[in-house]
Amino acid sequence: MALWFCSARLFIFLFILSALPIAYIIYQERAETDHHVFHYYSSGFFRESAKWDYESRRFLVTFLEGGVGEIHVPQNYTCDIVLKEVTVVKDSDLTGNASLGLALDNPRNRLLVAVADMFGNRYSALAAYDLSTWKRLFLTKLSGSGDEKSLADDVAVDADGNAYVTDVKGSKLWKVGVDGEILSTLTNPLFTPKEWYKSLAGLSGIVYHPDGYLIVIHTLGGYLLKIDLAKGHEVKLIELAGGPLSFGDGLELISPTKLVVAAGNPSGRLVESTDGWETASVVAKFKGPMHRLATAATVKDGKVYLNHMVGMGYPKKTHALVEFVL
């Protein structure tokens, strides 16, 4: 009798314990907010990155299972409308690899996508697609079987069309030319923290600054780096007040002096610099739906939106692009 009673109590305890996260998620999903959210239906649970394509009035999103989708926003859009994702890229020869960071290269009418083997860390590539026809323009293999473990995570493009791809596993950058040729591999001691465990997730989000340098975040190190392209790819640690930016992921430059960092908790942070990104300060934080996990940021009509990786619901999965109220 005592054994049965104890087993019953244990069962009830475990049931309540497992129900708490579900109750929290339901509460979060139903809670009213003072900021705008674009919701859209998707065929998959995980959407890694999103960027706003202003010329075509659409969000472009990458699939963790591989591929790219577009979400058109009609002119008569109202906040009660749930948008729909349409798959535009699904390469059969890349099956089993994830599509991660992406960058719009509007002057050349193309989209650049970082591609990687999420589990084996044995394949990384950069793919380019025409924004009108979705024809693949090139697929540049950055690493493969026999190489050290690597994972292409994010990509930025400079004024000349050169792409810079972060390796979150191997702590390096690949520079890829406008036609898909590998130009160089960038390494630096600042890419690798002293603590070994911080190298488990290294260089991640990356943006190109119009003054001719890159800003890169180290995910577990929680710091920002400035890479000056005009000075032989000189690397400097940006002195940061109000940090660290632990678990920082996607970046979005919203002005020459302001940068948004998508992260786990809080969902987003606004970083500002007044001296050309020699130093910077965290000036604002935003707490969004933590259970959805913010992974990228983009700007639409002057407003910042955070892409959240996890979709909710079945069979339709509902994803959220959440406004970061500055």
Side-chain angles (χ1 to χ4, degrees), residues 87-240:
T87 300
V88 293
V89 171
K90 197 71 174 175
D91 293 330
S92 58
D93 58 337
L94 293 176
T95 299
N97 292 294
S99 299
L100 300 172
L102 74 165
L104 281 157
D105 185 11
N106 289 112
R108 281 157 282 274
N109 194 47
R110 63 181 187 168
L111 181 73
L112 300 173
V113 181
V115 179
D117 168 14
M118 285 287 292
F119 300 104
N121 305 135
R122 291 297 185 187
Y123 181 87
S124 289
L126 177 68
Y129 302 93
D130 185 282
L131 281 168
S132 301
T133 64
W134 293 111
K135 176 184 176 182
R136 192 167 78 191
L137 304 175
F138 65 75
L139 176 69
T140 300
K141 188 176 180 181
L142 304 172
S143 67
S145 179
D147 298 332
E148 65 177 359
K149 288 190 176 183
S150 65
L151 199 157
D153 186 74
D154 202 4
V155 57
V157 60
D158 67 19
D160 297 321
N162 299 309
Y164 301 85
V165 185
T166 56
D167 180 359
V168 74
K169 190 70 178 178
S171 294
K172 61 180 177 289
L173 286 175
W174 293 282
K175 182 178 181 180
V176 179
V178 67
D179 295 318
E181 68 278 18
I182 298 178
L183 299 179
S184 60
T185 301
L186 310 179
T187 59
N188 190 278
L190 289 175
F191 293 171
T192 307
K194 294 179 180 179
E195 303 89 342
W196 66 268
Y197 55 88
K198 289 185 178 180
S199 294
L200 295 175
L203 303 183
S204 181
I206 182 171
V207 291
Y208 173 74
H209 193 283
D211 288 343
Y213 50 85
L214 304 169
I215 300 174
V216 187
I217 191 165
H218 192 288
T219 295
L220 291 184
Y223 54 81
L224 294 170
L225 297 167
K226 177 182 178 180
I227 304 174
D228 197 324
L229 304 180
K231 296 182 179 179
H233 305 108
E234 177 188 73
V235 181
K236 289 184 178 180
L237 182 68
I238 297 173
E239 186 178 329
L240 184 67

